[in-house]
């Protein structure tokens, strides 16, 4: 299945990586990148890996303890919506 990154997913991915690199360490930032890309490849194989959130009408997959990935399953592709820091305000809606 094809993976499609939204502009918001791309932005939040790099923003998270840059934050971890600046305020934690490059090693932690690289670990996040590796884990995120590994889980995206797993989603490609098994799209139902994450749990479905009825309130947001999308799937959620926890990448690390503090970061989750939100995505939508379509017939032909998987649409990555956003990487979200779970320590921030909870998501009410996703604009996609």
């Amino acid at each position: 299945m094809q993976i499609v990154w939204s502009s918001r997913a791309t932005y939040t991915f790099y923003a998270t990586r840059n934050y971890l690199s600046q305020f934690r360490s490059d090693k932690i930032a690289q670990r996040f990148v590796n884990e995120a890309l590994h889980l995206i490849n797993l989603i490609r194989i098994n799209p139902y890996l994450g749990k479905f959130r009825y309130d947001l009408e999308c799937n959620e997959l926890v990448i690390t303890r503090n970061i989750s990935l939100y995505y939508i399953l379509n017939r032909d592709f998987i649409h990555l919506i956003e990487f979200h820091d779970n320590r921030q305000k909870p998501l009410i809606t996703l604009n996609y």
Side-chain angles (χ1 to χ4, degrees):
M1 217 174 216
Q2 182 182 6
I3 303 289
V4 176
W5 289 65
S6 69
S7 59
R8 185 174 181 162
T10 303
Y11 173 78
T12 55
F13 176 79
Y14 287 112
T16 302
R17 185 202 62 183
N18 293 341
Y19 173 84
L20 291 172
S21 180
Q22 183 177 7
F23 293 106
R24 301 292 182 189
S25 71
D26 290 334
K27 184 178 178 182
I28 291 173
Q30 189 59 47
R31 190 179 319 149
F32 161 72
V33 170
N34 292 342
E35 190 66 25
L37 296 177
H38 174 71
L39 288 174
I40 290 169
N41 283 330
L42 287 178
I43 292 172
R44 183 184 319 233
I45 297 166
N46 182 5
Y48 298 101
L49 189 63
K51 73 174 185 177
F52 186 76
R53 294 272 310 258
Y54 289 98
D55 55 341
L56 300 174
E57 298 178 355
C58 66
N59 291 314
E60 175 187 27
L61 183 64
V62 177
I63 295 176
T64 66
R65 171 174 71 167
N66 296 324
I67 301 168
S68 295
L69 168 63
Y70 293 93
Y71 64 97
I72 296 174
L73 297 175
N74 289 333
R75 250 176 120 172
D76 301 327
F77 59 92
I78 298 168
H79 188 200
L80 303 182
I81 302 170
E82 178 180 359
F83 291 85
H84 182 72
D85 189 336
N86 299 326
R87 297 170 293 183
Q88 295 176 348
K89 284 197 264 182
L91 293 173
I92 297 171
T93 63
L94 289 172
N95 300 325
Y96 43 87

